[in-house]
Amino acid sequence: MRERGRVVKRDLVSIFSLNPDEIDHLMESAALLKAKQKEGVSYTPLKGKTLGLIFEKASTRTRVSFEVGMYQLGGHALFLDFKDMQLSRGETVSDTARVFSRYVDGIMARTFSHGTIEELARYATIPVINGLSDLLHPCQILSDIFTIMEKMGGYRGLKVAYVGDGNNVANSWINCAARLDFHLSLACPEGYGPDPTLLERARRESRREIHLVNDPYEAVSGADVIYTDVWASMGKEDEHAERLRNFRDYQVNSRLVKAAKTGVRVMHCLPAHRGEEIADDVMDGSHCIVWDQAENRLHVQKAILVWLMG
Ligand code: CP
Ligand code: NVA
């Protein structure tokens, strides 16, 4: 990207910082990249480039899809556990960002504090990608929009019902609803709603109302997609028992699925806690599209990498 002759780097910290055209571009690019990969066509625009992956939290899908994505695009991914880095011994985030900028061509970070990712983005002269923070999970929701488009031919006018914890995934759904034209209803227990500032900001900018209710049956009524996530996110493990009690009426089970549209699709970012937020028979049933959803993380992240680093 160029601004007055100067190259300006872009980051992906939040979907809120993207415009609808940029999201549509990412979706088109992901479809092309997926088609190439399925046809076995090699496409290596990131040859010679390295992505640094910083993980402060566990990951299966995000780590594997970014590593494999970089390899397929001709580049290299460097996995770094936060615990092994000088960051864990007091080196500042800003100094780390400056040093990384001298070695690699992009950073993907998964952190507890969202502020860590914002600070990396502020001080790095290379693109920074949010691979999940306590506040947001933008790559997940961009990839979920791609899956919805693939399965349902588009997202415009559809109703997505998010049932469960108002966490990072719910917050990114809210950011996405501020940018794209679909209905979003969230059902969360009292005291477990999404970030209020973020919700208020999204409501000001969204074309449609964003509903927040306590009753999951109200949220899923007329829904094309039911979406859920774990009740205790990474970092909230010590609240697990208390959350099991407070979320017990929020399980995505066959009764709840029947209350939505007949052909409703059930989505989950994974990892799932079967028997908690999602019943086994729904997870393994005909409405569930979680495996294609997980695969699409690879294709959409490749599109993000080409957009930011290509
Ligand atoms: N959905 C997701 O981000 O999965 P991981 O935690 O396994 O990366
Ligand atoms: N909300 C979950 C998402 C995991 C991909 C967590 O933060 O643990």
Side-chain angles (χ1 to χ4, degrees), residues 55 58-63 110 131-132 137 140 234 269-271 297:
F55 279 93
S59 171
T60 297
R61 280 142 290 268
T62 305
R63 177 179 175 181
R110 168 168 286 196
L132 180 149
H137 196 2
Q140 178 70 53
M234 290 179 275
C269 57
L270 305 180
R297 293 291 304 281

Side-chain angles (χ1 to χ4, degrees), residues 5-188:
R6 183 167 73 90
V7 174
V8 180
K9 64 120 180 180
R10 284 289 301 267
D11 304 300
L12 177 49
V13 174
S14 161
I15 294 178
F16 209 75
S17 63
L18 302 180
N19 65 45
D21 288 344
E22 287 170 334
I23 300 175
D24 285 342
H25 164 78
L26 286 173
M27 298 301 114
E28 279 165 28
S29 170
L32 286 171
L33 289 163
K34 182 169 182 175
K36 275 192 207 299
Q37 200 225 317
K38 297 289 173 195
E39 287 160 16
V41 176
S42 163
Y43 179 61
T44 55
L46 300 188
K47 194 157 180 269
K49 302 225 167 161
T50 302
L51 178 73
L53 306 172
I54 302 175
F55 279 93
E56 199 178 3
K57 289 174 172 172
S59 171
T60 297
R61 280 142 290 268
T62 305
R63 177 179 175 181
V64 174
S65 52
F66 270 109
E67 287 202 21
V68 171
M70 276 306 285
Y71 171 75
Q72 289 180 356
L73 292 168
H76 174 66
L78 185 65
F79 173 81
L80 292 149
D81 187 328
F82 193 93
K83 290 193 294 295
D84 299 332
M85 297 176 66
Q86 297 291 9
L87 264 174
S88 68
R89 297 182 56 255
E91 184 165 21
T92 66
V93 174
S94 52
D95 288 351
T96 305
R98 290 181 180 107
V99 171
F100 261 65
S101 302
R102 302 296 179 105
Y103 294 130
V104 299
D105 305 283
I107 301 173
M108 189 242 68
R110 168 168 286 196
T111 62
F112 286 97
S113 162
H114 185 67
T116 306
I117 293 178
E118 289 183 324
E119 206 172 336
L120 281 171
R122 190 173 316 127
Y123 290 97
T125 55
I126 52 176
V128 172
I129 301 169
N130 179 354
L132 180 149
S133 67
D134 280 350
L135 188 68
L136 299 174
H137 196 2
C139 295
Q140 178 70 53
I141 283 26
L142 287 172
S143 159
D144 296 337
I145 288 292
F146 180 78
T147 303
I148 288 173
M149 291 174 76
E150 202 175 53
K151 297 284 178 192
M152 288 168 244
Y155 55 76
R156 286 187 177 82
L158 295 186
K159 176 173 176 181
V160 175
Y162 178 96
V163 178
D165 188 21
N167 59 19
N168 41 13
V169 169
N171 288 336
S172 280
W173 268 113
I174 290 169
N175 279 343
C176 195
R179 291 290 169 261
L180 302 182
D181 183 21
F182 63 90
H183 303 265
L184 179 64
S185 270
L186 302 109
C188 309

Side-chain angles (χ1 to χ4, degrees), residues 201-212:
R201 189 183 62 177
R203 276 177 168 159
R204 279 199 304 271
E205 298 202 15
S206 175
R207 284 194 233 179
R208 304 190 188 251
E209 267 184 75
I210 301 174
H211 293 279
L212 174 61

